[in-house]
Amino acid sequence: MLTKDCSTSLSLLERPTLRDYQEELRQELYKSIRSGFKRILVVAPTGAGKTVFAGQIVFDAAIAKKRKLLFVVHRDVLIDQTLDKFSRFGLECGVIAGGYRENRDAIIQVASVQTLSRRGDWFAPDIIIFDEAHLTTWTSWARHVMPALRDEQGAESSIIFIGLTATPWRLAKGESMGDLFECLISAPVPGKLIDLGHLVKPVYYGLKRPDLKGVATVKGDFKVSDLEVRCNTAENVTAAVNEWLRLAEGRRTIAFAVSVNHAHAIALEFRDRGIPAAAVHGSMPTKERAEIYRHLATGKILVVASCEALAEGFDCPEVSCVMLCRPTKSKAKFWQQVGRGLRLAADKFDCLVLDQSGLVGRFGFIEDQKRFVLRESMESEKGEAPIKECPDCHAIVPISTRVCDCGHCWIPEDVATSPVAAMVAMLPKQDIPRFNFYREKLQEAYKKGNSPVWAASLYREKWNIWPPFAWRRNAISEIGGNFVSYVWYLLSVGERSDKDANWAIHQCKLEFGSEQLTAEDLAFIRQLFKK
C-alpha cells in the first residue's frame, strides 16, 4: 500500500492575514459559540476566502485553545490540498484516510468522510469541522455523530459542529441545512464580493428555458439519460459552439455537460472548428485531468467540457467563460458552475455566462442573493407545485411566478425561441444604470476622440471596479459608427498614446466581436497603423 507522511512541521512563514469581513465572520462565529450554539453553519461563497478562514479557525482551536479538532473533507483526493492549505498556518496534522501514515499524536486530524466510518473511532475530537457541509453532513457517518435536530434523543453531545459551505442548499425536499444546524453566519454575498473587487463581474447571455416535459426526476434532479436525449444533439452542440464563437472566442472556457458522451461531443465540435478543446469526467484518472487543467491554465487548451469532474482538484482563475449546457434543478450546482469563472486573474475583468439551459431564468442572477437563510425541510404533499424563493423579500412562491408581490421580476422565459437561436444579453436590475453609464461614456469618448480607457476609468472612479469587457459589444455601432470610422478613431487615439495594430485589433474585437472581423479587416488595421 502506498503510504505518505502527512505531518507538516511548523512553518516559520507568516500566517495569511484575514480580510476585514473574514475577521468579522470569525468573531461572529465565536460569539455564536459563546452564546451556546453547538451546530453552526458558515456560508462563504466563491471568492470569500473560505480556505483562509478555515485555516485560521483551525489554528485558533488547536494551537491557541489546545482543542482536539477533526476536519472532514468530502473525498480522499482533497486530503493533500487541505494539508497544503493548513501548512501555511504552520499546522501539524494527522490523517485518517486510506494510503496515509497515521500520526495519532496530532491534535488536528484531517479525514475523508468515507474512511471515518471504518477507522475513525480512536480519535475523540472537541470540534468537528465539515468542509463542503452541504455534502459531508449528509453522509451516513456524519448523520450518526450529528443526527438531525428533530431526531436527537438522550444527552446532548459536547462536540461543537461547524459546517463550511459556499452553497447551503440541498435538492431533496426532506433535507435542508436547518435540519442539522442551529444557526447560520455568512460572509458577504457574491454581489458584495464583486463590488469589493474579490470577484469579477458575470455577464449573462441566455436562451429560453428548454422544453423538458417528460424528463424524469431522480433524487431531486433531472434524470441524466433523459437529459442526454434532449441536450446531446448535433443541433444543440453546434448552436452552443456557434454562440461561443460569436460572444467568447479566445476566452478560456468551461462547458458543463449532461454526460460523458455530451462532454466529448462538445469538445469534438470545438476541435472541428479549430479550437483546442478536451473533455473531462469523474471517472478519468486524476493525473490525466490535472494535465488538462494545466493546459487550460496556460492557454494550450481553450475549452474544457466537463461532466461532473470539477468538484475536486480544479483551480484555474484564468477561465473567463462558462457554458451552462446542462439543465439542473440544483441551485448549488448552478452557483458552483458560474463560480468557476469568477475568480480574479491578470487582465481579467469579467466572466461570460452562456446559459443554454435556462438556469438564470430558474434561479436568478447570483448577484440577486441578498442574504442566506437557514431553513428546515418541509415535506411537500403529493401533487404540490414546485416553489422558489424571492431573492429580494425571501417570500416562497410557485416556481411559475414571474413577478413577486414585492416587485421583483424573474427573467422572462421568452427571450428566445429555441436552443439554436442567438443568445441575448441579460442584465440584473441593479446593473442597468451601470451598463447605460459605461455605454454612454464609450460613445462620448468616440465622439470626442478620447480613448476607450477614458470611459472605463470613469466607470472605475464611480464604482471602484473595472467594467466588464463584454459591455463594450456594439456600443459605437449603436450610434451609427461602422468598422472603417472606428478604426480611424482608434488610429487617432493610438498616435497620441503610442498604440500599435495589436491594440487596435483588440479594441475592434471588443466592439464588433472576433467573428465579425475578416482577414481583410485585420490587414486594413495593420496597414493603417504602419503609416
Side-chain angles (χ1 to χ4, degrees), residues 312-331:
E312 296 91 24
F314 180 81
D315 183 21
C316 184
E318 294 81 6
V319 167
S320 63
C321 176
V322 293
M323 299 171 64
L324 309 182
C325 303
R326 185 204 194 284
T328 181
K329 293 183 178 181
S330 170
K331 184 175 181 178

Side-chain angles (χ1 to χ4, degrees), residues 118-244:
R118 300 193 300 271
R119 57 180 181 88
D121 292 344
W122 61 267
F123 188 63
D126 302 303
I127 301 169
I128 298 179
I129 298 178
F130 291 97
D131 194 27
E132 304 296 342
H134 62 286
L135 299 173
T136 51
T137 55
W138 294 94
T139 57
S140 57
W141 177 86
R143 294 300 298 271
H144 174 71
V145 299
M146 185 189 178
L149 291 168
R150 60 176 178 268
D151 296 339
E152 282 192 280
Q153 297 179 4
E156 184 179 3
S157 172
S158 62
I159 299 173
I160 294 173
F161 299 97
I162 299 172
L164 301 176
T165 183
T167 52
W169 306 292
R170 296 280 296 174
L171 268 175
K173 293 179 181 178
E175 297 177 355
S176 291
M177 300 308 290
D179 298 340
L180 304 180
F181 292 93
E182 302 168 291
C183 70
L184 179 150
I185 61 176
S186 172
V189 293
K192 182 64 174 177
L193 291 170
I194 291 167
D195 287 341
L196 289 172
H198 300 307
L199 293 175
V200 299
K201 178 74 177 170
V203 178
Y204 303 87
Y205 289 84
L207 294 171
K208 179 180 179 178
R209 187 179 299 179
D211 179 10
L212 298 175
K213 291 180 181 178
V215 175
T217 297
V218 177
K219 295 182 179 179
D221 207 353
F222 295 117
K223 186 176 180 180
V224 170
S225 59
D226 289 354
L227 276 183
E228 182 163 19
V229 172
R230 300 294 179 90
C231 300
N232 190 18
T233 67
E235 183 182 48
N236 284 348
V237 171
T238 299
V241 176
N242 284 343
E243 288 303 280
W244 184 89

Side-chain angles (χ1 to χ4, degrees), residues 325-362:
C325 303
R326 185 204 194 284
T328 181
K329 293 183 178 181
S330 170
K331 184 175 181 178
K333 186 166 290 185
F334 167 63
W335 272 48
Q336 290 160 0
Q337 291 177 357
V338 174
R340 291 299 184 190
L342 301 186
R343 294 194 179 277
L344 303 179
D347 299 320
K348 177 181 172 182
F349 297 100
D350 62 16
C351 172
L352 293 189
V353 179
L354 306 185
D355 180 16
Q356 194 183 35
S357 302
L359 300 186
V360 177
R362 179 180 291 273

Side-chain angles (χ1 to χ4, degrees), residues 371-412:
R371 63 190 179 105
F372 297 100
V373 179
L374 191 63
R375 298 187 185 279
E376 294 184 21
S377 63
M378 297 177 63
E379 294 290 350
S380 298
E381 296 182 4
K382 187 176 181 180
E384 181 181 353
I387 58 176
K388 62 186 175 184
E389 179 181 348
C390 174
D392 286 347
C393 71
H394 302 284
I396 301 299
V397 298
I399 200 165
S400 60
T401 301
R402 307 313 304 160
V403 182
C404 181
D405 289 341
C406 73
H408 175 80
C409 296
W410 279 271
I411 306 302

Side-chain angles (χ1 to χ4, degrees), residues 65-80:
K65 297 294 185 180
K66 306 299 181 185
R67 301 286 186 90
K68 290 185 177 181
L69 186 142
L70 180 64
F71 192 89
V72 182
V73 299
H74 183 220
R75 297 189 181 183
D76 287 359
V77 295
L78 295 174
I79 295 289
D80 284 343

Side-chain angles (χ1 to χ4, degrees), residues 300-320:
K300 186 175 181 179
I301 289 175
L302 282 183
V303 179
V304 170
S306 168
C307 173
E308 307 292 350
L310 299 182
E312 296 91 24
F314 180 81
D315 183 21
C316 184
E318 294 81 6
V319 167
S320 63

